[in-house]
Amino acid sequence: MLLNGKTAVIYGGGGSIGGAVARAFAREGARVYLAGRSPENLGAVARDIRAAGGLVETALLDATNEQAVDEHADDVAAAAGSLDISMNVIQHGDVQGSPMVDMQVEDYLRPVSTAVQTFFLTSRAAARQMMRQKSGVILVFGGSGNPSPGTYLGGLITAFEAMEAMRRQLSVELGEHGIRVLTLRSGGIPESLPAGMDGREDIANSIVDATLLKRAATLEEVGNAAAFAASDKAASMTAATLNISAGSLMDR
């Protein structure tokens, strides 16, 4: 198994992306710690993992709260003996569907400030544990390409770009400690779109239409890619992105 004996923390572990990654990590042998705000969603993912024979713990946690994040990371490392993988996929509160010129400044800035704050806190907490071990992996999700005409993603793209800048900085600062930092770029996962959202089918179709393969990545594929990136099979990979966008985000 790719992650046998590893300990992984997933912030937003009850969501569609976080849950998919958690299931893949557990399937590959990791002990998974799910953190989030919804006990129902966390519990549902945990039940799936336990039913499949995996190891999982849950914690109610606000990943924008400095003290809570630091204490949780300390508790995980103390209980498991290490903190090997950290991934933050909490919701950023973005408002989509309106052109920038029609948006309120607070709606545009909310996902940017939330993304920067939570990624800073959770990466710092993980890195402090990983530096003691001289190893670890911090994963980012959502690296962006250029927005498509008519998509109106609000501050989401700016938030992704800010996280990419942080990922590059962390890669440089943490590399000497044996810590790898990688981004998974998807271009959008239709399965992750909330049921009943306005324009869901149109958005899903636009994601698929933008790909070269005429199919988008699935949640299972996101989980599999994350498990590989976090594993020793990818031990030489850092300061880089894994493009799982089916060609919608073309690398230069």
Side-chain angles (χ1 to χ4, degrees):
M1 293 186 285
L2 289 175
L3 302 176
N4 195 37
K6 303 289 188 182
T7 300
V9 177
I10 302 175
Y11 303 93
S16 57
I17 301 294
V21 172
R23 293 180 184 96
F25 282 2
R27 187 170 61 247
E28 294 295 341
R31 181 175 180 179
V32 180
Y33 286 79
L34 306 176
R37 289 175 147 182
S38 169
E40 294 81 8
N41 292 344
L42 293 172
V45 176
R47 285 192 294 274
D48 288 347
I49 290 173
R50 292 185 181 117
L55 300 175
V56 61
E57 304 290 340
T58 64
L60 292 180
L61 178 73
D62 177 358
T64 65
N65 182 297
E66 180 177 11
Q67 182 177 348
V69 169
D70 287 345
E71 289 179 353
H72 180 259
D74 288 342
D75 291 345
V76 169
S82 65
L83 198 168
D84 304 297
I85 306 161
S86 176
M87 187 170 187
N88 186 329
V89 284
I90 75 165
Q91 295 183 359
H92 296 150
D94 48 293
V95 175
Q96 301 185 25
S98 297
M100 289 175 63
V101 297
D102 294 332
M103 293 186 69
Q104 299 296 316
V105 65
E106 59 268 23
D107 288 337
Y108 186 86
L109 292 179
R110 186 183 306 109
V112 182
S113 59
T114 300
V116 169
Q117 180 174 347
T118 189
F119 185 53
F120 174 85
L121 292 176
T122 59
S123 297
R124 187 186 67 177
R128 287 172 173 173
Q129 304 296 334
M130 294 172 178
M131 289 170 72
R132 299 187 186 104
Q133 306 161 189
K134 296 295 184 181
S135 66
V137 182
I138 297 172
L139 296 179
V140 187
F141 181 82
S144 65
N146 294 323
S148 301
T151 50
Y152 303 132
L153 298 176
L156 183 63
I157 297 298
T158 305
F160 284 162
E161 293 293 340
M163 292 169 66
E164 278 295 88
M166 297 171 74
R167 189 266 299 165
R168 289 190 291 270
Q169 184 175 352
L170 284 168
S171 299
V172 172
E173 293 183 5
L174 299 178
E176 64 180 291
H177 302 285
I179 301 168
R180 302 189 291 112
V181 192
L182 295 162
T183 298
L184 274 65
R185 303 169 67 222
S186 73
I189 310 294
E191 288 177 273
S192 70
L193 299 174
M197 73 175 291
D198 292 341
R200 185 182 192 277
E201 184 175 354
D202 290 340
I203 295 172
N205 289 337
S206 70
I207 292 172
V208 172
D209 289 343
T211 69
L212 299 181
L213 299 179
K214 298 309 171 188
R215 59 173 292 270
T218 65
L219 287 172
E220 183 177 3
E221 288 168 338
V222 172
N224 291 340
F228 168 76
S231 77
D232 292 341
K233 296 287 187 181
S236 63
M237 297 179 65
T238 193
T241 63
L242 283 74
N243 189 332
I244 55 171
S245 70
S248 65
L249 304 176
M250 297 179 66
D251 289 330
R252 292 190 293 272

